[in-house]
Amino acid sequence: MTGKRLLKSLESDFELVYVAQSCLSWEALHHQYRKVEALAGQNGVFYSNVAGEFQKFQVLLERFMEDQRSDGKRVWSYVRGRFSFKSLLQVPELPGFVEEEKEDEKRGACRVKDVLNAIEKCIQAFWVFVKTDNKKSWWKLRTSLWTCPIVEDPRDLALLAEITRILQKKEMLLKDSQGKERCCLRRGVKPPEETQKKMLHTMVDMKLVSRVLRMSVVSTSQLKWCKEKLDNIVFEEGKVVRAHSAPFLFPS
């Protein structure tokens, strides 16, 4: 194997690691958000510095993006970043929750609202992270015939075409929904906060699907994952509806 082919093979392997970790991190982050959101109506607290751990996650992500601006390709930046920041894209756990706050341990307590706010900031940072991964979609390139991702199984070409068509259609529906939201804002009508959050989460989902489809090699299981993710996103009367809340674990 020549040096050039070896480098290309290594880049493909590292790309898979990077994309898989990005997808898994998002599923974990969104899952943690849903868990804490479900606790928001209770009076309980966390007796560990959970909010601080999510703040560290956010800071690492933002620092990585700052460093990556001058480093070239995102995949290689990620590989180097993992050596510098061992916890990069590692979503914190949620230990130490109790339903009643103890008077003698008030000082170390962390309110559910504070943890939820910290996770929401992480989600916003993660959106910037996936949005700034600037490897272009193959179908948007003039030479798309030659830049189309390689499917491991040639029988998946039809599935790839179908998923690409669905993604493009839902991207248009998303833009339409965002346009309606901007019109409401211009009229002084602010959309419900829950609607804005669903929109943001959907934007992350669709960006990740798009990124998987931009990999140099795509497997059958990865294509099916993309299809499931897109099937979970439904638009009704210009609004986003998420059919399921369970995590979609990226196939290894």
mmCIF file of all heavy atoms in Angstrom, residues 78-127:
data_model
loop_
_atom_site.group_PDB
_atom_site.id
_atom_site.type_symbol
_atom_site.label_atom_id
_atom_site.label_comp_id
_atom_site.label_asym_id
_atom_site.label_seq_id
_atom_site.Cartn_x
_atom_site.Cartn_y
_atom_site.Cartn_z
ATOM 1 N N TYR A 78 -9.732 16.651 15.443
ATOM 2 C CA TYR A 78 -10.327 15.843 16.504
ATOM 3 C C TYR A 78 -9.317 14.838 17.056
ATOM 4 O O TYR A 78 -9.210 14.656 18.271
ATOM 5 C CB TYR A 78 -11.561 15.106 15.978
ATOM 6 C CG TYR A 78 -12.109 14.082 16.947
ATOM 7 C CD1 TYR A 78 -12.811 14.477 18.080
ATOM 8 C CD2 TYR A 78 -11.895 12.720 16.738
ATOM 9 C CE1 TYR A 78 -13.299 13.543 18.977
ATOM 10 C CE2 TYR A 78 -12.380 11.781 17.634
ATOM 11 C CZ TYR A 78 -13.081 12.196 18.746
ATOM 12 O OH TYR A 78 -13.549 11.266 19.641
ATOM 13 N N VAL A 79 -8.570 14.203 16.163
ATOM 14 C CA VAL A 79 -7.561 13.226 16.598
ATOM 15 C C VAL A 79 -6.533 13.899 17.503
ATOM 16 O O VAL A 79 -6.195 13.391 18.574
ATOM 17 C CB VAL A 79 -6.862 12.584 15.377
ATOM 18 C CG1 VAL A 79 -5.701 11.703 15.826
ATOM 19 C CG2 VAL A 79 -7.864 11.766 14.563
ATOM 20 N N ARG A 80 -6.052 15.070 17.076
ATOM 21 C CA ARG A 80 -5.087 15.805 17.905
ATOM 22 C C ARG A 80 -5.733 16.292 19.195
ATOM 23 O O ARG A 80 -5.115 16.281 20.259
ATOM 24 C CB ARG A 80 -4.516 16.986 17.114
ATOM 25 C CG ARG A 80 -3.567 16.589 16.001
ATOM 26 C CD ARG A 80 -2.859 17.805 15.430
ATOM 27 N NE ARG A 80 -3.782 18.675 14.716
ATOM 28 C CZ ARG A 80 -4.045 18.574 13.415
ATOM 29 N NH1 ARG A 80 -3.457 17.634 12.687
ATOM 30 N NH2 ARG A 80 -4.884 19.407 12.834
ATOM 31 N N GLY A 81 -7.004 16.714 19.080
ATOM 32 C CA GLY A 81 -7.705 17.236 20.248
ATOM 33 C C GLY A 81 -7.898 16.207 21.341
ATOM 34 O O GLY A 81 -7.867 16.534 22.530
ATOM 35 N N ARG A 82 -8.075 14.942 20.948
ATOM 36 C CA ARG A 82 -8.261 13.895 21.952
ATOM 37 C C ARG A 82 -6.996 13.669 22.771
ATOM 38 O O ARG A 82 -7.058 13.203 23.908
ATOM 39 C CB ARG A 82 -8.695 12.585 21.287
ATOM 40 C CG ARG A 82 -10.153 12.534 20.874
ATOM 41 C CD ARG A 82 -11.095 12.841 22.029
ATOM 42 N NE ARG A 82 -10.933 11.935 23.140
ATOM 43 C CZ ARG A 82 -11.620 10.815 23.313
ATOM 44 N NH1 ARG A 82 -12.518 10.464 22.424
ATOM 45 N NH2 ARG A 82 -11.417 10.047 24.356
ATOM 46 N N PHE A 83 -5.842 13.972 22.200
ATOM 47 C CA PHE A 83 -4.598 13.871 22.962
ATOM 48 C C PHE A 83 -4.496 15.017 23.964
ATOM 49 O O PHE A 83 -4.000 14.845 25.077
ATOM 50 C CB PHE A 83 -3.389 13.887 22.020
ATOM 51 C CG PHE A 83 -3.181 12.596 21.284
ATOM 52 C CD1 PHE A 83 -3.504 12.491 19.940
ATOM 53 C CD2 PHE A 83 -2.682 11.481 21.931
ATOM 54 C CE1 PHE A 83 -3.328 11.293 19.255
ATOM 55 C CE2 PHE A 83 -2.498 10.278 21.264
ATOM 56 C CZ PHE A 83 -2.823 10.184 19.918
ATOM 57 N N SER A 84 -4.974 16.194 23.559
ATOM 58 C CA SER A 84 -4.891 17.369 24.431
ATOM 59 C C SER A 84 -6.015 17.398 25.458
ATOM 60 O O SER A 84 -5.807 17.762 26.614
ATOM 61 C CB SER A 84 -4.947 18.650 23.586
ATOM 62 O OG SER A 84 -3.943 18.659 22.605
ATOM 63 N N PHE A 85 -7.214 17.024 25.009
ATOM 64 C CA PHE A 85 -8.394 17.078 25.879
ATOM 65 C C PHE A 85 -9.014 15.683 25.950
ATOM 66 O O PHE A 85 -9.807 15.308 25.093
ATOM 67 C CB PHE A 85 -9.419 18.081 25.339
ATOM 68 C CG PHE A 85 -8.841 19.417 24.971
ATOM 69 C CD1 PHE A 85 -8.889 19.882 23.668
ATOM 70 C CD2 PHE A 85 -8.239 20.213 25.935
ATOM 71 C CE1 PHE A 85 -8.361 21.111 23.321
ATOM 72 C CE2 PHE A 85 -7.703 21.446 25.602
ATOM 73 C CZ PHE A 85 -7.758 21.899 24.293
ATOM 74 N N LYS A 86 -8.634 14.936 26.954
ATOM 75 C CA LYS A 86 -9.084 13.545 27.067
ATOM 76 C C LYS A 86 -10.602 13.431 27.179
ATOM 77 O O LYS A 86 -11.190 12.425 26.785
ATOM 78 C CB LYS A 86 -8.435 12.881 28.294
ATOM 79 C CG LYS A 86 -6.912 12.878 28.279
ATOM 80 C CD LYS A 86 -6.352 12.026 27.166
ATOM 81 C CE LYS A 86 -4.832 11.958 27.231
ATOM 82 N NZ LYS A 86 -4.254 11.214 26.098
ATOM 83 N N SER A 87 -11.237 14.464 27.731
ATOM 84 C CA SER A 87 -12.684 14.398 27.966
ATOM 85 C C SER A 87 -13.499 15.006 26.832
ATOM 86 O O SER A 87 -14.713 15.172 26.971
ATOM 87 C CB SER A 87 -13.033 15.119 29.278
ATOM 88 O OG SER A 87 -12.377 14.520 30.365
ATOM 89 N N LEU A 88 -12.858 15.335 25.721
ATOM 90 C CA LEU A 88 -13.565 15.948 24.600
ATOM 91 C C LEU A 88 -14.702 15.042 24.128
ATOM 92 O O LEU A 88 -14.500 13.860 23.856
ATOM 93 C CB LEU A 88 -12.588 16.204 23.453
ATOM 94 C CG LEU A 88 -13.160 16.881 22.205
ATOM 95 C CD1 LEU A 88 -13.651 18.282 22.526
ATOM 96 C CD2 LEU A 88 -12.107 16.927 21.095
ATOM 97 N N LEU A 89 -15.909 15.606 24.070
ATOM 98 C CA LEU A 89 -17.130 14.918 23.634
ATOM 99 C C LEU A 89 -17.586 13.816 24.591
ATOM 100 O O LEU A 89 -18.464 13.026 24.247
ATOM 101 C CB LEU A 89 -16.968 14.339 22.219
ATOM 102 C CG LEU A 89 -16.862 15.362 21.082
ATOM 103 C CD1 LEU A 89 -16.689 14.639 19.749
ATOM 104 C CD2 LEU A 89 -18.088 16.261 21.025
ATOM 105 N N GLN A 90 -17.000 13.769 25.787
ATOM 106 C CA GLN A 90 -17.439 12.799 26.790
ATOM 107 C C GLN A 90 -18.515 13.450 27.663
ATOM 108 O O GLN A 90 -18.223 14.310 28.491
ATOM 109 C CB GLN A 90 -16.253 12.355 27.656
ATOM 110 C CG GLN A 90 -15.130 11.696 26.875
ATOM 111 C CD GLN A 90 -15.556 10.405 26.206
ATOM 112 O OE1 GLN A 90 -16.148 9.531 26.838
ATOM 113 N NE2 GLN A 90 -15.264 10.276 24.927
ATOM 114 N N VAL A 91 -19.758 13.052 27.470
ATOM 115 C CA VAL A 91 -20.885 13.676 28.173
ATOM 116 C C VAL A 91 -20.900 13.243 29.637
ATOM 117 O O VAL A 91 -20.817 12.045 29.932
ATOM 118 C CB VAL A 91 -22.219 13.295 27.495
ATOM 119 C CG1 VAL A 91 -23.403 13.896 28.252
ATOM 120 C CG2 VAL A 91 -22.222 13.763 26.041
ATOM 121 N N PRO A 92 -21.000 14.197 30.564
ATOM 122 C CA PRO A 92 -21.000 13.858 31.998
ATOM 123 C C PRO A 92 -22.209 13.011 32.407
ATOM 124 O O PRO A 92 -23.256 13.039 31.756
ATOM 125 C CB PRO A 92 -21.054 15.231 32.687
ATOM 126 C CG PRO A 92 -20.567 16.202 31.662
ATOM 127 C CD PRO A 92 -21.012 15.652 30.341
ATOM 128 N N GLU A 93 -22.034 12.290 33.494
ATOM 129 C CA GLU A 93 -23.136 11.512 34.057
ATOM 130 C C GLU A 93 -23.973 12.405 34.976
ATOM 131 O O GLU A 93 -23.642 13.574 35.196
ATOM 132 C CB GLU A 93 -22.579 10.312 34.829
ATOM 133 C CG GLU A 93 -21.837 9.319 33.944
ATOM 134 C CD GLU A 93 -21.315 8.131 34.727
ATOM 135 O OE1 GLU A 93 -21.550 8.081 35.961
ATOM 136 O OE2 GLU A 93 -20.676 7.261 34.122
ATOM 137 N N LEU A 94 -25.049 11.831 35.505
ATOM 138 C CA LEU A 94 -25.952 12.592 36.384
ATOM 139 C C LEU A 94 -26.099 11.888 37.735
ATOM 140 O O LEU A 94 -27.168 11.373 38.070
ATOM 141 C CB LEU A 94 -27.328 12.738 35.727
ATOM 142 C CG LEU A 94 -27.429 13.659 34.514
ATOM 143 C CD1 LEU A 94 -28.778 13.487 33.839
ATOM 144 C CD2 LEU A 94 -27.230 15.115 34.930
ATOM 145 N N PRO A 95 -25.040 11.878 38.531
ATOM 146 C CA PRO A 95 -25.129 11.197 39.825
ATOM 147 C C PRO A 95 -25.637 12.127 40.928
ATOM 148 O O PRO A 95 -25.688 13.345 40.768
ATOM 149 C CB PRO A 95 -23.672 10.817 40.090
ATOM 150 C CG PRO A 95 -22.900 11.963 39.492
ATOM 151 C CD PRO A 95 -23.699 12.422 38.287
ATOM 152 N N GLY A 96 -26.023 11.534 42.037
ATOM 153 C CA GLY A 96 -26.270 12.305 43.255
ATOM 154 C C GLY A 96 -27.586 13.029 43.345
ATOM 155 O O GLY A 96 -27.708 13.978 44.123
ATOM 156 N N PHE A 97 -28.617 12.600 42.591
ATOM 157 C CA PHE A 97 -29.903 13.298 42.698
ATOM 158 C C PHE A 97 -30.726 12.725 43.847
ATOM 159 O O PHE A 97 -30.855 11.513 44.000
ATOM 160 C CB PHE A 97 -30.704 13.177 41.404
ATOM 161 C CG PHE A 97 -32.060 13.839 41.484
ATOM 162 C CD1 PHE A 97 -32.175 15.214 41.399
ATOM 163 C CD2 PHE A 97 -33.206 13.076 41.680
ATOM 164 C CE1 PHE A 97 -33.415 15.831 41.491
ATOM 165 C CE2 PHE A 97 -34.450 13.684 41.769
ATOM 166 C CZ PHE A 97 -34.555 15.062 41.676
ATOM 167 N N VAL A 98 -31.270 13.618 44.666
ATOM 168 C CA VAL A 98 -32.202 13.216 45.727
ATOM 169 C C VAL A 98 -33.429 14.117 45.652
ATOM 170 O O VAL A 98 -33.342 15.275 45.251
ATOM 171 C CB VAL A 98 -31.560 13.313 47.136
ATOM 172 C CG1 VAL A 98 -30.451 12.296 47.307
ATOM 173 C CG2 VAL A 98 -31.041 14.712 47.400
ATOM 174 N N GLU A 99 -34.567 13.574 46.032
ATOM 175 C CA GLU A 99 -35.825 14.309 45.880
ATOM 176 C C GLU A 99 -36.023 15.390 46.922
ATOM 177 O O GLU A 99 -36.796 16.319 46.707
ATOM 178 C CB GLU A 99 -37.003 13.329 45.915
ATOM 179 C CG GLU A 99 -37.024 12.386 44.723
ATOM 180 C CD GLU A 99 -38.247 11.501 44.713
ATOM 181 O OE1 GLU A 99 -39.121 11.700 45.585
ATOM 182 O OE2 GLU A 99 -38.332 10.617 43.846
ATOM 183 N N GLU A 100 -35.335 15.284 48.049
ATOM 184 C CA GLU A 100 -35.489 16.292 49.093
ATOM 185 C C GLU A 100 -34.128 16.847 49.475
ATOM 186 O O GLU A 100 -33.183 16.100 49.705
ATOM 187 C CB GLU A 100 -36.168 15.692 50.331
ATOM 188 C CG GLU A 100 -37.620 15.298 50.090
ATOM 189 C CD GLU A 100 -38.282 14.797 51.364
ATOM 190 O OE1 GLU A 100 -37.640 14.910 52.429
ATOM 191 O OE2 GLU A 100 -39.413 14.306 51.292
ATOM 192 N N GLU A 101 -34.061 18.167 49.551
ATOM 193 C CA GLU A 101 -32.811 18.833 49.918
ATOM 194 C C GLU A 101 -32.577 18.720 51.418
ATOM 195 O O GLU A 101 -33.479 18.952 52.221
ATOM 196 C CB GLU A 101 -32.884 20.308 49.514
ATOM 197 C CG GLU A 101 -31.584 21.052 49.705
ATOM 198 C CD GLU A 101 -31.669 22.472 49.186
ATOM 199 O OE1 GLU A 101 -32.730 22.853 48.658
ATOM 200 O OE2 GLU A 101 -30.671 23.199 49.318
ATOM 201 N N LYS A 102 -31.350 18.356 51.781
ATOM 202 C CA LYS A 102 -30.999 18.216 53.191
ATOM 203 C C LYS A 102 -30.379 19.515 53.699
ATOM 204 O O LYS A 102 -29.491 20.071 53.064
ATOM 205 C CB LYS A 102 -30.009 17.059 53.371
ATOM 206 C CG LYS A 102 -30.558 15.716 52.894
ATOM 207 C CD LYS A 102 -29.491 14.646 52.946
ATOM 208 C CE LYS A 102 -29.999 13.332 52.376
ATOM 209 N NZ LYS A 102 -28.942 12.294 52.363
ATOM 210 N N GLU A 103 -30.855 19.961 54.840
ATOM 211 C CA GLU A 103 -30.386 21.235 55.395
ATOM 212 C C GLU A 103 -28.885 21.238 55.636
ATOM 213 O O GLU A 103 -28.203 22.216 55.379
ATOM 214 C CB GLU A 103 -31.117 21.530 56.710
ATOM 215 C CG GLU A 103 -32.536 22.028 56.539
ATOM 216 C CD GLU A 103 -32.608 23.384 55.852
ATOM 217 O OE1 GLU A 103 -31.689 24.205 56.063
ATOM 218 O OE2 GLU A 103 -33.563 23.617 55.103
ATOM 219 N N ASP A 104 -28.361 20.112 56.125
ATOM 220 C CA ASP A 104 -26.943 20.073 56.482
ATOM 221 C C ASP A 104 -26.030 19.939 55.264
ATOM 222 O O ASP A 104 -24.815 20.018 55.382
ATOM 223 C CB ASP A 104 -26.672 18.923 57.465
ATOM 224 C CG ASP A 104 -27.094 17.575 56.894
ATOM 225 O OD1 ASP A 104 -27.921 17.570 55.961
ATOM 226 O OD2 ASP A 104 -26.595 16.548 57.377
ATOM 227 N N GLU A 105 -26.614 19.738 54.065
ATOM 228 C CA GLU A 105 -25.789 19.591 52.866
ATOM 229 C C GLU A 105 -26.153 20.621 51.800
ATOM 230 O O GLU A 105 -25.882 20.444 50.625
ATOM 231 C CB GLU A 105 -25.941 18.177 52.295
ATOM 232 C CG GLU A 105 -25.425 17.095 53.228
ATOM 233 C CD GLU A 105 -25.526 15.718 52.592
ATOM 234 O OE1 GLU A 105 -25.698 15.639 51.362
ATOM 235 O OE2 GLU A 105 -25.436 14.727 53.323
ATOM 236 N N LYS A 106 -26.770 21.713 52.224
ATOM 237 C CA LYS A 106 -27.232 22.726 51.278
ATOM 238 C C LYS A 106 -26.093 23.321 50.463
ATOM 239 O O LYS A 106 -26.249 23.628 49.287
ATOM 240 C CB LYS A 106 -27.956 23.847 52.045
ATOM 241 C CG LYS A 106 -29.434 23.898 51.777
ATOM 242 C CD LYS A 106 -30.074 25.061 52.493
ATOM 243 C CE LYS A 106 -31.574 25.069 52.205
ATOM 244 N NZ LYS A 106 -32.253 26.175 52.892
ATOM 245 N N ARG A 107 -24.949 23.497 51.109
ATOM 246 C CA ARG A 107 -23.841 24.174 50.445
ATOM 247 C C ARG A 107 -23.377 23.428 49.196
ATOM 248 O O ARG A 107 -23.012 24.037 48.205
ATOM 249 C CB ARG A 107 -22.673 24.332 51.428
ATOM 250 C CG ARG A 107 -21.494 25.079 50.843
ATOM 251 C CD ARG A 107 -20.423 25.314 51.880
ATOM 252 N NE ARG A 107 -20.888 26.200 52.941
ATOM 253 C CZ ARG A 107 -20.138 26.558 53.978
ATOM 254 N NH1 ARG A 107 -18.907 26.091 54.103
ATOM 255 N NH2 ARG A 107 -20.622 27.372 54.893
ATOM 256 N N GLY A 108 -23.392 22.119 49.230
ATOM 257 C CA GLY A 108 -22.917 21.343 48.086
ATOM 258 C C GLY A 108 -24.002 20.978 47.095
ATOM 259 O O GLY A 108 -23.747 20.248 46.143
ATOM 260 N N ALA A 109 -25.211 21.496 47.308
ATOM 261 C CA ALA A 109 -26.329 21.112 46.448
ATOM 262 C C ALA A 109 -26.340 21.912 45.151
ATOM 263 O O ALA A 109 -25.916 23.062 45.097
ATOM 264 C CB ALA A 109 -27.647 21.312 47.193
ATOM 265 N N CYS A 110 -26.847 21.271 44.114
ATOM 266 C CA CYS A 110 -26.954 21.906 42.795
ATOM 267 C C CYS A 110 -28.398 21.755 42.327
ATOM 268 O O CYS A 110 -28.899 20.644 42.183
ATOM 269 C CB CYS A 110 -25.993 21.221 41.826
ATOM 270 S SG CYS A 110 -25.809 22.061 40.258
ATOM 271 N N ARG A 111 -29.071 22.871 42.117
ATOM 272 C CA ARG A 111 -30.482 22.829 41.743
ATOM 273 C C ARG A 111 -30.678 22.238 40.347
ATOM 274 O O ARG A 111 -29.829 22.386 39.468
ATOM 275 C CB ARG A 111 -31.086 24.227 41.792
ATOM 276 C CG ARG A 111 -31.135 24.856 43.184
ATOM 277 C CD ARG A 111 -31.789 26.214 43.119
ATOM 278 N NE ARG A 111 -31.099 27.087 42.164
ATOM 279 C CZ ARG A 111 -31.589 28.237 41.730
ATOM 280 N NH1 ARG A 111 -32.777 28.650 42.137
ATOM 281 N NH2 ARG A 111 -30.901 28.975 40.880
ATOM 282 N N VAL A 112 -31.830 21.607 40.168
ATOM 283 C CA VAL A 112 -32.155 21.002 38.875
ATOM 284 C C VAL A 112 -32.147 22.062 37.774
ATOM 285 O O VAL A 112 -31.643 21.826 36.667
ATOM 286 C CB VAL A 112 -33.534 20.302 38.940
ATOM 287 C CG1 VAL A 112 -33.974 19.842 37.550
ATOM 288 C CG2 VAL A 112 -33.485 19.117 39.889
ATOM 289 N N LYS A 113 -32.676 23.232 38.081
ATOM 290 C CA LYS A 113 -32.732 24.313 37.093
ATOM 291 C C LYS A 113 -31.337 24.703 36.612
ATOM 292 O O LYS A 113 -31.127 24.965 35.420
ATOM 293 C CB LYS A 113 -33.438 25.527 37.697
ATOM 294 C CG LYS A 113 -33.626 26.681 36.724
ATOM 295 C CD LYS A 113 -34.346 27.847 37.380
ATOM 296 C CE LYS A 113 -34.494 29.008 36.390
ATOM 297 N NZ LYS A 113 -35.192 30.166 37.027
ATOM 298 N N ASP A 114 -30.376 24.729 37.538
ATOM 299 C CA ASP A 114 -29.003 25.092 37.168
ATOM 300 C C ASP A 114 -28.381 24.034 36.254
ATOM 301 O O ASP A 114 -27.663 24.362 35.303
ATOM 302 C CB ASP A 114 -28.145 25.260 38.426
ATOM 303 C CG ASP A 114 -28.597 26.441 39.280
ATOM 304 O OD1 ASP A 114 -29.179 27.383 38.709
ATOM 305 O OD2 ASP A 114 -28.385 26.413 40.506
ATOM 306 N N VAL A 115 -28.663 22.775 36.561
ATOM 307 C CA VAL A 115 -28.136 21.687 35.726
ATOM 308 C C VAL A 115 -28.765 21.749 34.336
ATOM 309 O O VAL A 115 -28.078 21.595 33.314
ATOM 310 C CB VAL A 115 -28.408 20.314 36.381
ATOM 311 C CG1 VAL A 115 -27.927 19.178 35.472
ATOM 312 C CG2 VAL A 115 -27.718 20.224 37.739
ATOM 313 N N LEU A 116 -30.067 21.996 34.298
ATOM 314 C CA LEU A 116 -30.767 22.079 33.011
ATOM 315 C C LEU A 116 -30.216 23.231 32.168
ATOM 316 O O LEU A 116 -29.987 23.073 30.963
ATOM 317 C CB LEU A 116 -32.266 22.263 33.245
ATOM 318 C CG LEU A 116 -33.178 22.072 32.024
ATOM 319 C CD1 LEU A 116 -33.056 20.659 31.481
ATOM 320 C CD2 LEU A 116 -34.624 22.377 32.386
ATOM 321 N N ASN A 117 -29.978 24.366 32.795
ATOM 322 C CA ASN A 117 -29.407 25.510 32.073
ATOM 323 C C ASN A 117 -28.019 25.181 31.531
ATOM 324 O O ASN A 117 -27.669 25.572 30.404
ATOM 325 C CB ASN A 117 -29.326 26.736 32.994
ATOM 326 C CG ASN A 117 -30.684 27.353 33.269
ATOM 327 O OD1 ASN A 117 -31.621 27.150 32.509
ATOM 328 N ND2 ASN A 117 -30.798 28.100 34.356
ATOM 329 N N ALA A 118 -27.233 24.469 32.333
ATOM 330 C CA ALA A 118 -25.881 24.095 31.904
ATOM 331 C C ALA A 118 -25.935 23.160 30.697
ATOM 332 O O ALA A 118 -25.150 23.296 29.749
ATOM 333 C CB ALA A 118 -25.125 23.434 33.056
ATOM 334 N N ILE A 119 -26.876 22.214 30.715
ATOM 335 C CA ILE A 119 -27.005 21.279 29.591
ATOM 336 C C ILE A 119 -27.499 22.011 28.343
ATOM 337 O O ILE A 119 -27.046 21.733 27.225
ATOM 338 C CB ILE A 119 -27.948 20.111 29.950
ATOM 339 C CG1 ILE A 119 -27.380 19.310 31.123
ATOM 340 C CG2 ILE A 119 -28.142 19.193 28.744
ATOM 341 C CD1 ILE A 119 -28.268 18.178 31.594
ATOM 342 N N GLU A 120 -28.410 22.948 28.519
ATOM 343 C CA GLU A 120 -28.913 23.714 27.373
ATOM 344 C C GLU A 120 -27.785 24.502 26.703
ATOM 345 O O GLU A 120 -27.727 24.606 25.472
ATOM 346 C CB GLU A 120 -30.035 24.653 27.822
ATOM 347 C CG GLU A 120 -31.341 23.921 28.114
ATOM 348 C CD GLU A 120 -32.414 24.834 28.684
ATOM 349 O OE1 GLU A 120 -32.079 25.982 29.061
ATOM 350 O OE2 GLU A 120 -33.578 24.412 28.749
ATOM 351 N N LYS A 121 -26.876 25.036 27.500
ATOM 352 C CA LYS A 121 -25.721 25.746 26.936
ATOM 353 C C LYS A 121 -24.796 24.778 26.197
ATOM 354 O O LYS A 121 -24.210 25.126 25.171
ATOM 355 C CB LYS A 121 -24.964 26.477 28.045
ATOM 356 C CG LYS A 121 -25.714 27.686 28.596
ATOM 357 C CD LYS A 121 -24.939 28.366 29.711
ATOM 358 C CE LYS A 121 -25.712 29.570 30.253
ATOM 359 N NZ LYS A 121 -24.996 30.218 31.389
ATOM 360 N N CYS A 122 -24.692 23.558 26.724
ATOM 361 C CA CYS A 122 -23.900 22.528 26.041
ATOM 362 C C CYS A 122 -24.517 22.193 24.683
ATOM 363 O O CYS A 122 -23.800 22.008 23.687
ATOM 364 C CB CYS A 122 -23.831 21.259 26.891
ATOM 365 S SG CYS A 122 -22.780 21.387 28.350
ATOM 366 N N ILE A 123 -25.837 22.105 24.645
ATOM 367 C CA ILE A 123 -26.533 21.793 23.393
ATOM 368 C C ILE A 123 -26.305 22.898 22.370
ATOM 369 O O ILE A 123 -26.063 22.631 21.183
ATOM 370 C CB ILE A 123 -28.037 21.570 23.653
ATOM 371 C CG1 ILE A 123 -28.249 20.259 24.420
ATOM 372 C CG2 ILE A 123 -28.825 21.554 22.343
ATOM 373 C CD1 ILE A 123 -29.683 19.998 24.838
ATOM 374 N N GLN A 124 -26.345 24.139 22.824
ATOM 375 C CA GLN A 124 -26.090 25.261 21.914
ATOM 376 C C GLN A 124 -24.659 25.210 21.376
ATOM 377 O O GLN A 124 -24.419 25.443 20.184
ATOM 378 C CB GLN A 124 -26.347 26.581 22.645
ATOM 379 C CG GLN A 124 -27.816 26.824 22.947
ATOM 380 C CD GLN A 124 -28.044 27.944 23.947
ATOM 381 O OE1 GLN A 124 -27.097 28.574 24.423
ATOM 382 N NE2 GLN A 124 -29.299 28.197 24.288
ATOM 383 N N ALA A 125 -23.713 24.875 22.256
ATOM 384 C CA ALA A 125 -22.317 24.752 21.826
ATOM 385 C C ALA A 125 -22.153 23.574 20.870
ATOM 386 O O ALA A 125 -21.401 23.651 19.889
ATOM 387 C CB ALA A 125 -21.401 24.579 23.039
ATOM 388 N N PHE A 126 -22.873 22.487 21.146
ATOM 389 C CA PHE A 126 -22.780 21.310 20.282
ATOM 390 C C PHE A 126 -23.351 21.617 18.900
ATOM 391 O O PHE A 126 -22.839 21.123 17.887
ATOM 392 C CB PHE A 126 -23.522 20.129 20.913
ATOM 393 C CG PHE A 126 -23.196 18.809 20.273
ATOM 394 C CD1 PHE A 126 -22.117 18.062 20.705
ATOM 395 C CD2 PHE A 126 -23.958 18.324 19.219
ATOM 396 C CE1 PHE A 126 -21.803 16.845 20.100
ATOM 397 C CE2 PHE A 126 -23.655 17.118 18.608
ATOM 398 C CZ PHE A 126 -22.573 16.378 19.052
ATOM 399 N N TRP A 127 -24.396 22.427 18.856
ATOM 400 C CA TRP A 127 -24.960 22.828 17.563
ATOM 401 C C TRP A 127 -23.919 23.584 16.736
ATOM 402 O O TRP A 127 -23.743 23.330 15.542
ATOM 403 C CB TRP A 127 -26.208 23.677 17.767
ATOM 404 C CG TRP A 127 -26.587 24.496 16.567
ATOM 405 C CD1 TRP A 127 -26.670 25.851 16.479
ATOM 406 C CD2 TRP A 127 -26.919 24.003 15.255
ATOM 407 N NE1 TRP A 127 -27.021 26.236 15.210
ATOM 408 C CE2 TRP A 127 -27.180 25.124 14.435
ATOM 409 C CE3 TRP A 127 -27.005 22.729 14.698
ATOM 410 C CZ2 TRP A 127 -27.524 25.008 13.094
ATOM 411 C CZ3 TRP A 127 -27.348 22.613 13.356
ATOM 412 C CH2 TRP A 127 -27.609 23.735 12.570
#
